[in-house]
Amino acid sequence: MTPVRVGVFGLLGSGNLGNDGSLEAVLGYLSAEHPEAVVDALCGGPETVAARYRIPATRLHWYRGEYRTASRAGAVAGKGLGKLVDAFRTAAWVRRHDVVIVPGMGVLEATLPLRPWGFPYSLFLLCASGRLLGTRVALVGVGADTISDRPTRALVRWSARLATYRSYRDTLSRDAMRAMGVDTAHDEVYPDLAFALPTPPAGAPSGTVCVGVMAFHGGNDDRDRADEIYRNYLEGTTRFVRALVEDGRPVRLLTGDDCDTPVVDAILDAVDSPLVTAANAASLADLMKETAAADTVVATRYHNLVCALKAGTPTLALSYAAKSDALMARMGLDAYRHPAREVDADQLLVQFRALETQSTELRRTLTERNRAATRQLREQFDKLTTALFPSTTHPHAPTHAHALRESR
């Protein structure tokens, strides 16, 4: 049998641990259920992906200055030429594959600052190439939100329409795509792909609080207030950390992207206490171990929340988007949310103490919700096999996921 050629696509290996965790979950699925598949990537950080996951990887953009602001005429011309070259590069890459998977990530949303000619354009090139060349493109467990910017909305809408398969990480995402004109009648909702990763063992009670921080400047519609939002977020979060230290609590600062490091540095400088330390997590597995060892977690980034909830640790969300609210509701902790745009350290401390009083009950709730998430993701992978690898599905031979179910 000719090996199935599978490509994975996205801003992978670019410093965002959540994106890489989603990739890791999909690679685990492919290894378990389709070990014959030949896998490679078209991604933002090919060197990192090739070294960490041992698959060939190609740079997503021809122009190496893609992620830098173009202010001079030469840089603007380089970016413009790059967009044209990328259309041919993407089509040539897609043509070499039977299947391309976009693993999770918020690829259909603009809850953080985003330009239409950036990743939305790249995703459109992928999905259009797949439709034109007969390659099946799957958007698996992705995030979406209603987009107000018309060019970005158009690119996202057409990308979704042109994909062969779509599933979402929450109902909010599916509803948003329906509102933007995509027929979602056959689209399913499953937990975030990171819930398919292994769960680390829980640590002994230590009093430690993990605080996940973010270089938060608001969303796509907040560009005029970006600096103000960032200052307010940093000031409120710093005051909260200082209050924890005054109570004698060890605080472990977490990030989820390389760009969050300045926030950690600012808090360490402002609080200046041996009780406050910074984690150096290189993967979602590392983040999960940090959250599993904590008594409580307060976090901003979406996949910081996922890691804490997956680890079964009582968690309070500094919520910056509806996707965080949806995640907390799915896991039974929707009462424990605080707006990231308006961090009130005093109110946050009240909510934190209320969370800790319910710790035992919340841990039981998270255990139940995590079991349900595991079952749902097994179903997701079974359906993905049927949709993308029909020639490998035998009606009387259970898939790896079915076998796991039977053995439990």
Side-chain angles (χ1 to χ4, degrees):
M1 182 181 296
T2 302
V4 180
R5 300 164 299 174
V6 180
V8 289
F9 177 95
L11 294 178
L12 309 164
S14 301
N16 185 288
L17 300 185
N19 292 358
D20 291 355
S22 299
L23 169 62
E24 187 176 340
V26 166
L27 292 178
Y29 151 72
L30 290 172
S31 176
E33 297 205 24
H34 304 283
E36 79 288 349
V38 177
V39 183
D40 73 307
L42 184 63
C43 59
E47 297 84 2
T48 299
V49 169
R52 182 175 296 167
Y53 302 109
R54 301 183 183 279
I55 60 174
T58 303
R59 192 171 68 250
L60 180 60
H61 301 290
W62 172 79
Y63 181 61
R64 290 182 179 272
E66 174 65 28
Y67 300 115
R68 295 193 296 268
T69 301
S71 55
R72 294 184 296 181
V76 172
K79 276 199 172 186
L81 177 61
K83 299 305 175 187
L84 179 62
V85 174
D86 285 345
F88 293 97
R89 290 178 70 250
T90 302
W93 182 80
V94 168
R95 191 185 195 99
R96 299 196 297 269
H97 297 84
D98 302 299
V99 173
V100 174
I101 296 175
V102 180
M105 305 178 285
V107 297
L108 303 177
E109 65 181 51
T111 52
L112 296 175
L114 182 70
R115 299 295 190 188
W117 55 82
F119 188 76
Y121 173 74
S122 300
L123 184 65
F124 172 75
L125 291 180
L126 172 77
C127 296
S129 298
R131 180 60 64 95
L132 289 171
L133 299 171
T135 299
R136 296 183 291 277
V137 174
L139 310 180
V140 181
V142 298
D145 204 348
T146 305
I147 299 172
S148 59
D149 179 71
R150 293 182 66 182
T152 304
R153 183 173 67 244
L155 287 169
V156 164
R157 179 173 62 243
W158 276 105
S159 296
R161 286 175 172 173
L162 292 169
T164 306
Y165 173 94
R166 296 181 299 268
S167 65
Y168 306 100
R169 64 189 180 192
D170 49 47
T171 303
L172 166 79
S173 297
R174 183 172 61 185
D175 291 347
M177 294 313 298
R178 183 183 298 120
M180 288 192 288
V182 177
D183 181 3
T184 62
H186 302 290
D187 298 353
E188 301 286 350
V189 173
Y190 298 99
D192 188 89
L193 287 172
F195 281 99
L197 297 174
T199 305
S206 62
T208 300
V209 181
C210 280
V211 178
V213 300
M214 178 180 180
F216 179 60
H217 295 81
N220 225 30
D221 299 329
D222 299 317
R223 291 180 183 272
D224 293 341
R225 299 180 52 237
D227 290 342
E228 175 192 350
I229 289 172
Y230 176 74
R231 284 194 303 272
N232 291 341
Y233 171 81
L234 180 57
E235 179 184 346
T237 306
T238 302
R239 286 187 59 211
F240 174 68
V241 171
R242 186 178 290 115
L244 293 175
V245 169
E246 289 171 355
D247 283 347
R249 301 294 294 271
V251 176
R252 190 79 163 149
L253 299 177
L254 308 179
T255 62
D257 195 291
D258 290 346
C259 69
D260 300 331
T261 302
V263 182
V264 171
D265 293 340
I267 294 174
L268 290 173
D269 289 343
V271 178
D272 191 22
S273 167
L275 286 174
V276 185
T277 56
N280 186 24
S283 66
L284 278 198
D286 291 343
L287 277 179
M288 283 190 199
K289 290 176 183 175
E290 293 282 352
T291 60
D295 287 9
T296 314
V297 175
V298 179
T300 310
R301 277 200 179 272
Y302 180 82
H303 277 99
N304 276 195
L305 295 173
V306 170
C307 286
L309 298 168
K310 168 73 172 172
T313 305
T315 303
L316 197 160
L318 282 174
S319 177
Y320 69 89
K323 63 183 179 182
S324 300
D325 299 338
L327 173 64
M328 296 297 283
R330 174 189 281 274
M331 300 304 290
L333 276 75
D334 51 322
Y336 301 101
R337 295 176 288 121
H338 189 92
R341 282 176 174 78
E342 301 171 357
V343 180
D344 181 328
D346 295 332
Q347 179 59 30
L348 183 58
L349 197 59
V350 170
Q351 291 178 282
F352 170 78
R353 288 169 176 158
L355 176 74
E356 291 213 310
T357 62
Q358 299 296 317
S359 177
T360 301
E361 180 181 341
L362 293 175
R363 286 181 181 273
R364 285 197 295 266
T365 298
L366 288 173
T367 297
E368 295 170 1
R369 299 299 172 98
N370 276 308
R371 286 174 182 158
T374 299
R375 290 194 300 270
Q376 291 160 356
L377 283 170
R378 286 172 179 155
E379 177 186 337
Q380 152 96 319
F381 290 139
D382 283 351
K383 291 191 175 181
L384 195 60
T385 290
T386 301
L388 300 184
F389 306 95
S391 63
T392 66
T393 304
H394 304 285
H396 301 296
T399 66
H400 177 75
H402 278 124
L404 283 175
R405 272 200 297 272
E406 293 299 323
S407 68
R408 288 178 65 86

